[in-house]
Amino acid sequence: MPEIVFVQMPQSSSILSPNNISTMRKRKTTDSPHSSTDLTEGKEKLRLKQEVGLISGVSLIAGTMIGSGIFMSPEEVLYRMGSPASSLLIWAACGLLAMFGALSYAELGTIIKESGGEYIYILRIFGSFPAFLFAYTSVILVRPAGLAAVCLSFAEYAVAPFYPGCSSPQVVIKCTAAACILLLTIINCLNVRLATSIMNILTAAKLLALLVIVVGGLVLLAKGQTQSFQNAFQNTTAGIGAVGVAFYQGLWSYDGWNNLNYVTEELKKPEVTLPRAVMLAIPLVTCLYLLVNVSYLAAMTPTELLSSGAVAVTWGDKVLGNWAWVISLSVALSTFGSSNGTFFSGGRVCYIAAREGHMASCVPLGPFSFFGPSSPRHLAFLLSGVKDIAPLLVHRRESLMYMSCQVGGDDWVGGYWFHSFCY
C-alpha cells in the first residue's frame, strides 16, 4: 500500500496551476508502485479463460442435477404423496419450478457477466455486507454439506460390492467419501479442460444409464405391466406438510440448475450460451426423471417400491438380472459426476469472493506462485477441498441434505425472491 501523507497546503491560487497539477500527476505515477492502470491490468489478468462452450455448459447443468436424487428420492416422494400419480405430479412440478428459476438466473447472468452466481449478483445490486454474509454461509456450510451428502451416496454404492449380504462399515464409507473429495480437488486443480472433459464423459454415461432404465420400463409397459397405474390417485395425501417434504426430496434431485451462473466468465459468448444451455438441459432432465419414475412403477408395485432400500438397484435386480451390477456402477458414476460439477462451480465462489476482498486476499493475489500462473485458482480449489471434508463428521446423508436445504434455502425459492427484488 502506498503511504498516505496529509500535508497542509498554502492558500495560494498558484498551487492549482496547470504546471503544478501536471507535476503532481507525474509524481504520483512515478512514486506509486501500483498505479490505477496497473491495478486495472492486474484485475483483468485475474479473469478466468473462456473455455466452456455450449456442450460443456449443458453437461455442467445436467451432470450436476443428475446425481443421487433420482436413484434414491422416488421412494421418499411416493411415501409422502401416497399414490403414483401424485408423485409424478410432484416430479413434474419440481422440474417446472427449476426451469422458471433457471430462466430468471439466465436473465441475470446475461446482464451481470461475472462468475460467482448469487454472490456476485448480491454484491453488485445490494452491496458488500449482504454479499459477505452469503459468501461465508455458502462456502462454510451450505455447499460443503451438499457436496458431502452426494459423496456419501457415491461411497455407499462404491463399497457395497465389497460387503455382500451386509451393510458397509461407516468408517469405510466416510473414508471413501473423503477420498472422492480429495480426488475431485486434484482434478480441478490440474486443468479446467480436464475437469470439463471428465464432466462431459460422466454426463454421457449417466444419460445412457437413465436411457437403459427408460427403455426397460417402456418394454414392461408394452408387455402390459400397468398395475401401478390403475386407480393411480388412490390414497393421495392432501396434507401441506407431507407435500412440502415431498417437494424437498424432489427439488434435491433438481439441485444444480443454477451452477452455470457460477462460471459465467468462463463461458464462450455467455449472452448466447447461458440461455441455450438452460433451455436444453433442464427440460431434458425433467423428461428423463418422469420417464424413469414411470419405469420404476412399471417394474414394481408401490408397496415394493416403498420397501426398497435402493430403488434403482431393486429395478436392476428385477429387470436386468445378472446385469444388475450395471445400475450400481451407473449410480456411482452419476454421483461422482454430480460431485465434480458441484466442486467445479463451488470453487469459483471462493475465488470470486477473494478477488472482491471478502476472503483472504492471498488466495487470488498471493505474490508467491507455487503452482505457476494459475496458482490463485489452485489455492481456491485446495481451500474448497479441505473444508468440504469436514461435514463428513455428520452421520447421516439426510442430515447433510436438510442442512444444505434449510440453511441455504432452496435454490428455486432464492431465485424467485432474488429476481423479484432486482426489478
Side-chain angles (χ1 to χ4, degrees), residues 343-393:
F343 199 95
F344 183 83
S345 60
R348 268 63 179 173
V349 180
C350 297
Y351 179 85
I352 300 301
R355 190 178 70 181
E356 297 294 334
H358 284 164
M359 288 189 176
S361 60
C362 60
V363 174
L365 299 173
F368 304 103
S369 183
F370 296 107
F371 298 96
S374 300
S375 60
R377 177 172 57 84
H378 293 145
L379 291 174
F381 274 124
L382 287 174
L383 174 64
S384 181
V386 170
K387 68 177 177 55
D388 288 339
I389 297 178
L392 294 176
L393 298 175

Side-chain angles (χ1 to χ4, degrees), residues 123-267:
L123 177 65
R124 297 294 179 239
I125 297 172
F126 296 111
S128 179
F129 184 66
F132 173 83
L133 294 179
F134 175 85
Y136 274 85
T137 303
S138 176
V139 168
I140 294 177
L141 186 59
V142 177
R143 278 191 170 263
L147 181 62
V150 179
C151 288
L152 283 174
S153 300
F154 163 80
E156 289 175 3
Y157 278 91
V159 304
F162 299 97
Y163 296 92
C166 62
S167 59
S168 304
Q170 287 297 315
V171 175
V172 176
I173 292 176
K174 291 182 182 294
C175 290
T176 305
C180 175
I181 293 175
L182 292 176
L183 179 60
L184 291 173
T185 304
I186 296 173
I187 291 173
N188 283 271
C189 281
L190 290 177
N191 198 336
V192 173
R193 291 184 179 178
L194 175 61
T196 55
S197 298
I198 292 176
M199 187 163 50
N200 294 342
I201 295 172
L202 293 178
T203 300
K206 65 179 68 176
L207 289 176
L208 181 60
L210 291 181
L211 286 176
V212 169
I213 297 177
V214 169
V215 172
L218 294 177
V219 171
L220 293 176
L221 290 175
K223 292 181 178 179
Q225 296 191 22
T226 58
Q227 297 86 354
S228 298
F229 302 100
Q230 297 174 1
N231 299 322
F233 282 99
Q234 188 176 1
N235 300 324
T236 299
T237 302
I240 297 178
V243 174
V245 176
F247 264 103
Y248 256 125
Q249 293 290 338
L251 289 170
W252 170 258
S253 302
Y254 285 94
D255 186 36
W257 53 261
N258 61 333
N259 268 13
L260 200 57
N261 289 73
Y262 287 90
V263 296
T264 305
E265 293 178 13
E266 299 172 74
L267 295 178

Side-chain angles (χ1 to χ4, degrees), residues 273-311:
T273 304
L274 182 56
R276 287 182 179 177
V278 165
M279 289 185 285
L280 286 174
I282 297 180
L284 172 64
V285 173
T286 303
C287 292
L288 283 174
Y289 279 4
L290 288 173
L291 293 174
V292 167
N293 276 277
V294 170
S295 179
Y296 289 156
L297 292 169
M300 293 171 278
T301 63
T303 304
E304 291 176 336
L305 196 150
L306 290 174
S307 62
S308 172
V311 182

Side-chain angles (χ1 to χ4, degrees), residues 71-80 157 296-297 299-315 317-318:
F71 303 105
M72 295 184 173
S73 296
E75 176 186 353
E76 187 68 22
V77 174
L78 180 61
Y79 172 75
R80 298 296 176 181
Y157 278 91
Y296 289 156
L297 292 169
M300 293 171 278
T301 63
T303 304
E304 291 176 336
L305 196 150
L306 290 174
S307 62
S308 172
V311 182
V313 175
T314 304
W315 184 93
D317 293 335
K318 283 181 168 292

